[in-house]
Amino acid sequence: MIGPAWDRAAPRVSATDGHERDRLAAAARHAATHLEVRGVVCVACTFVDNSGITRMKGVPVGRLDAAVVWGIGASPVFDAFGVDDSITAGRFAGGPVGDLRLHPDLDRLTALAAQPGWAWAPVDRRDQTGAPHPQDARDLVRVEAVRLAGRGLRVAMAFEIEWAVAPAGADGFVPAARGPAYGMTRVAELGDYLRDVVTALTEEGLVVEQIHPEYAAGQFEVSVAAQDPLGAADTCVLVKETVRAVSGRHGLRASFAPKVLADGVGNGGHVHLSLWGDGESDGGDGVTGSGAIGSSGYGAGPGPAGATALGATALGATALGATALGATAPGGWNGGGRDNLLGGGHGPGGLTATGEAFAAGILARLPALMALGAPSVASYLRLVPSQWAGAYACWGLENREAALRLIPGPPAAAGRAANLEIKCFDLAANPYLVAAGLLAAGHAGLDDEARLPPPVDVDPASLDPAERARRGIARLPTDLGAAVAAFTADDVLRRACGPALHDTVASVRRAEIDRFADADPAAVVAATRWRY
Ligand code: GLU
Ligand code: MG
């Protein structure tokens, strides 16, 4: 049985282990049989590049076993791809030489509900010997989760997906729904579409917690239940591609770009996370996460995640889509930890000492993490004060203008629903880099026994500059160059990424800065609106 991500740091395919190859091939053929029954012809095998674009190679379903065992050939040049498909030759990426193998992960093999005939699986990128590619962000998430598990800690995570829809067929942006923000009118306008989004995600085995019209014109948001970090990053990819496909079937075009118009509120990609372990919490009254808590909108609180999608037993069920739900474990997903260390403690906002250190590690490194979570020039057009994007490097209880927002959850849940929301990130990000970066930053906070500054309980923009300075509240980087400077100076993220990936990420970012050096905001938005 294949365990959750933290139990499989080592590559599961050894080029020399014939027995393991046979086992995997048999599992792949079994899954393929289920897919064929559902009319699946092709499997889209995806990874996300460093500029945040999901790239793919497809295999006919009959070739899935060979793909799983031997991998699909792909150039390492993708590490150096930019948002405009240009290639940046960096020190560690961008050359024409070399070959990687893309190994679809059967744990996440899913029939795509809105693309009949297609299934999807995220890939692990390995070299010819089966060793992880040093620049594979998906492997990085696994490594960081395993490191935390070594301390007896698990993270539950979920990405909030915001997007805006326009009628298909034009490159400009005209909102396809004209009703007010959060208004029921938008459901009258696009109710069939929104229903089909929920149906498709549910058929794919995901647990939808919420869907609603967002603030900006034509904008919507969907939240799904928390999972382990690798599962959450995979799910981020699946949700985006499913929303995109359902949109197409309704004559709509979905934009996940940080900004769809130069003015106004953008699309965020907020990350919710909670930290689980044994001991230290004063909670533990036996309250488990429930559908009620999850669906009440506590984001990455311990909702009923599709945890079974992580296990080999889910293989058949996941391939069957909706039936995967039947196999989903009831109760909350907490990675096996008993206590949520973000609640029930004696620290600020009910944090335990461990929870506070983890949060403080993230807060301290937010400027550097921006190079991963707000990775495009367009990201900084979104990241402006007083638009709920979290433009200030501070934390607060339930404060939507703080980049780091602690959501303690209802007192009756005794801290078990507590979670942190990182608001400054957007969906131009590679979710694997985001997940890995957050784990590494939080872990560094544990190593340092870091402490949080006092929480901020107002919109920092409403304070005069002297008061902000007195409280130590700084703006996050206001352009990509500043974020890259913080990232390149950050030893924790360099160690986590490894020198090659760290260097490549910085090179790809610098190339994008050069690409848009003379572009005004409208031109940046136009060039990136439909890319992510
Ligand atoms: N759309 C806002 C953003 O750019 C977030 C709105 C919200 O708080 O959900 O992040
Ligand atoms: Mg939102």
Side-chain angles (χ1 to χ4, degrees), residues 160 162 182 214 219 221 265-268 270 382 387-389 400 423:
E160 257 178 45
E162 293 186 340
Y182 310 103
E214 255 293 342
Q219 192 182 36
E221 173 181 321
V265 172
N267 290 320
H270 308 178
R382 162 186 169 262
Q387 296 198 358
W388 301 339
R400 285 182 172 74
K423 291 190 69 82

Side-chain angles (χ1 to χ4, degrees), residues 43-290:
V43 183
C45 305
T46 65
F47 59 96
V48 183
D49 73 14
N50 285 317
S51 70
I53 292 182
T54 301
R55 314 266 177 190
M56 69 81 74
K57 284 212 164 181
V59 288
V61 70
R63 296 286 297 165
L64 182 63
D65 55 348
V68 166
V69 172
W70 297 109
I72 307 159
S75 167
V77 78
F78 286 109
D79 292 328
F81 262 54
V83 64
D84 58 353
D85 296 342
S86 61
I87 297 167
T88 309
R91 261 200 314 150
F92 296 96
V97 179
D99 199 27
L100 296 174
R101 310 302 301 177
L102 311 181
H103 294 261
D105 188 341
L106 285 178
D107 291 1
R108 287 307 301 257
L109 181 64
T110 305
L112 292 176
Q115 284 140 294
W118 283 88
W120 162 85
V123 302
D124 292 312
R125 297 186 304 152
R126 306 208 178 105
D127 68 16
Q128 304 285 345
T129 72
H133 173 46
Q135 304 204 43
D136 184 38
R138 196 166 185 268
D139 186 64
L140 200 60
V141 185
R142 220 178 255 133
V143 168
E144 289 301 326
V146 169
R147 279 211 313 129
L148 271 175
R151 294 177 86 128
L153 297 171
R154 315 276 194 248
V155 165
M157 190 178 276
F159 288 77
E160 257 178 45
I161 309 290
E162 293 186 340
W163 76 99
V165 281
D171 284 338
F173 184 81
V174 176
R178 278 168 296 177
Y182 310 103
M184 193 57 195
T185 304
R186 283 195 208 166
V187 180
E189 292 176 279
L190 290 178
D192 291 355
Y193 164 64
L194 296 172
R195 178 206 60 214
D196 286 354
V197 167
V198 173
T199 303
L201 295 173
T202 305
E203 273 182 20
E204 290 169 350
L206 301 176
V207 179
V208 175
E209 293 201 333
Q210 276 194 20
I211 188 160
H212 65 263
E214 255 293 342
Y215 187 82
Q219 192 182 36
F220 296 94
E221 173 181 321
V222 68
S223 315
V224 292
Q227 293 169 269
D228 77 288
L230 182 60
D234 286 336
T235 292
C236 180
V237 172
L238 181 58
V239 172
K240 282 175 70 179
E241 297 314 319
T242 301
V243 167
R244 200 188 320 272
V246 176
S247 303
R249 295 174 79 79
H250 282 264
L252 301 170
R253 200 172 186 191
S255 171
F256 301 92
K259 293 286 276 195
V260 287
L261 294 169
D263 297 323
V265 172
N267 290 320
H270 308 178
V271 181
H272 290 260
L273 63 84
S274 52
L275 180 69
W276 294 81
D278 292 333
E280 236 201 280
S281 167
D282 306 330
D285 65 350
V287 178
T288 54
S290 66

